[in-house]
Amino acid sequence: MSNKQIYSENNNFSNTNNLLHEFSQIIQNFDKMNLKEIEPIIYDYIFEGDLSILIDELVDIIFKELNKGEDNIVVKKIVLDFIDNHKITLYNYLLNDQSNSNSICLLGYFYYYGIENEVNKQRAIELYQKAAELKNIVAQFNLVNEYIFGKSFQNYNLAFELSKKLADDDYAFGCNNLGYCYEDGIGTDVNDQKAFESYQKAADLGNSYGINSLGCCYNWGIGTDVNKQKAFELYQKAADLGNLTGMNNLGLCYEKGIGTNVDKQKTFELYQKAANLGDSAAQYTLAWMYENGSEIKKDINNAIYWYKKSAEQGFTEAQLSLNELLKE
């Protein structure tokens, strides 16, 4: 999922066999895991039917939320609320149901985000790869993100090929990531026109990241003419859909007067909203505003609070600013 922000000057896969063969090589030792050694567990179901029904439903929810461009931190909360509302524990069941692609994918999701278990991203990626071989769309999408943005699992060629296949099958998140690949030369040559077209397709399919990315195209003239008013409108639309990156970009529009009039109050409100929803970049910006008294009253305690929140998510600039502030 492309986090394109304008302040960043800082189921049908008919031809997947060859591509997914690479997954087999990557996970050749996966099947040596001791899953078969785990004792079968007998469940007393508290609802009619099978836990597998809830697992399929949950994976479908994840798919729909990601496909429309919901942020990962928001999707995680939806998953946790689903589990809590149904008063279920799924981890052990998932361990013992490794023939079903949704169970494999969801177990990977649990490992990735530390749900009902400790975070283990290596295991998560192995499980995503195994589920992807079974043509699980959510697993394939999560792999694309990891292949592009992950620090330990980058594979630009696979990221591009998977994004293209997802886009060809009209998955909105695949279209957006394909646009990102074309824009930044991820596994392919840079092609601004194809990037614009891919973002346009993602936006037309209702993906909020695609809408935000299209706004960036108009703001910077990527594959199209510069149109600041159009950029502002698209950022507004993405923000209205709850897209955190869109909120950040819209906040900057109000701050700098990009396609609209300067409005410092709206700037603060947008950064604050995105920060409260967990966006690390917005948390950093909000901390900076509190530290410097920009648009709001200077408040060092609030600055430290938001720098810490951002730094905890790995935002490097926030950690540096926090260290400097604490020295003072």
Side-chain angles (χ1 to χ4, degrees):
M1 191 176 296
S2 170
N3 290 328
K4 295 177 62 56
Q5 302 187 23
I6 59 177
Y7 56 76
S8 63
E9 297 184 353
N10 302 265
N11 227 301
N12 295 322
F13 275 76
S14 58
N15 296 313
T16 57
N17 289 339
N18 290 335
L19 171 62
L20 295 178
H21 175 68
E22 296 186 45
F23 291 155
S24 298
Q25 296 177 328
I26 295 173
I27 61 169
Q28 56 185 330
N29 293 322
F30 177 77
D31 288 328
K32 296 180 181 178
M33 293 167 57
N34 293 324
L35 294 177
K36 293 183 179 179
E37 298 176 13
I38 300 172
E39 291 296 326
I41 297 174
I42 305 301
Y43 295 89
D44 292 323
Y45 297 139
I46 59 175
F47 55 91
E48 292 184 6
D50 197 319
L51 274 176
S52 63
I53 297 173
L54 286 184
I55 289 169
D56 290 344
E57 182 180 346
L58 184 52
V59 172
D60 187 58
I61 290 171
I62 295 172
F63 163 76
K64 289 178 178 177
E65 294 299 322
L66 292 177
N67 199 43
K68 73 181 184 181
E70 193 62 84
D71 193 90
N72 283 321
I73 58 176
V74 177
V75 178
K76 179 185 175 182
K77 184 179 185 306
I78 292 172
V79 170
L80 292 174
D81 287 346
F82 180 95
I83 293 171
D84 183 61
N85 290 338
H86 287 83
K87 303 184 186 307
I88 53 176
T89 300
L90 295 174
Y91 176 73
N92 287 330
Y93 182 88
L94 294 173
L95 279 175
N96 286 270
D97 186 34
Q98 288 297 289
S99 60
N100 181 285
S101 74
N102 278 343
S103 291
I104 297 168
C105 177
L106 192 59
L107 183 60
Y109 191 91
F110 277 26
Y111 276 122
Y112 196 92
Y113 290 105
I115 299 174
E116 299 182 8
N117 196 44
E118 297 296 323
V119 170
N120 187 333
K121 291 192 175 182
Q122 175 67 42
R123 181 66 60 82
I125 300 307
E126 290 170 346
L127 287 161
Y128 285 155
Q129 289 165 339
K130 188 177 180 70
E133 282 194 315
L134 299 173
K135 302 181 182 180
N136 187 283
I137 302 301
V138 172
Q140 291 170 348
F141 174 66
N142 287 335
L143 281 177
V144 170
N145 282 342
E146 204 61 31
Y147 288 150
I148 294 176
F149 304 109
K151 295 180 180 179
S152 302
F153 305 98
Q154 284 186 343
N155 189 323
Y156 286 170
N157 290 332
L158 281 178
F160 172 74
E161 293 298 333
L162 268 179
S163 295
K164 190 172 187 307
K165 290 185 179 299
L166 288 166
D168 287 345
D169 279 354
D170 293 333
Y171 292 110
F173 49 34
C175 297
N176 182 67
N177 278 346
L178 182 61
Y180 186 78
C181 289
Y182 278 126
E183 183 184 351
D184 280 19
I186 304 296
T188 187
D189 294 331
V190 171
N191 189 320
D192 287 350
Q193 183 60 41
K194 286 186 176 181
F196 175 80
E197 292 171 355
S198 296
Y199 291 143
Q200 181 70 69
K201 183 177 179 181
D204 290 343
L205 289 170
N207 183 275
S208 65
Y209 272 100
I211 294 167
N212 174 77
S213 298
L214 194 62
C216 290
C217 289
Y218 281 110
N219 188 64
W220 298 109
I222 300 170
T224 189
D225 295 331
V226 171
N227 187 330
K228 300 292 185 180
Q229 178 63 37
K230 185 70 172 176
F232 170 78
E233 293 171 357
L234 287 163
Y235 294 145
Q236 179 73 68
K237 185 176 181 179
D240 288 345
L241 290 171
N243 188 278
L244 303 186
T245 308
M247 292 178 197
N248 277 300
N249 286 341
L250 186 62
L252 191 62
C253 286
Y254 280 118
E255 181 182 355
K256 303 296 184 181
I258 300 172
T260 189
N261 296 325
V262 171
D263 189 324
K264 301 298 186 181
Q265 181 60 33
K266 286 186 177 180
T267 295
F268 171 73
E269 291 173 356
L270 283 160
Y271 287 142
Q272 185 178 52
K273 182 177 181 180
N276 285 331
L277 289 171
D279 185 81
S280 60
Q283 290 168 346
Y284 168 77
T285 302
L286 192 62
W288 185 91
M289 294 171 75
Y290 275 118
E291 180 185 3
N292 294 279
S294 176
E295 317 344 319
I296 53 176
K297 184 178 179 180
K298 188 172 183 177
D299 187 328
I300 298 302
N301 287 333
N302 260 326
I304 292 173
Y305 173 82
W306 287 111
Y307 277 140
K308 283 184 177 179
K309 284 286 189 180
S310 181
E312 286 169 359
Q313 297 193 67
F315 203 88
T316 305
E317 291 85 348
Q319 185 61 63
L320 294 173
S321 296
L322 178 63
N323 291 340
E324 288 299 318
L325 192 56
L326 292 176
K327 285 180 182 178
E328 299 175 4

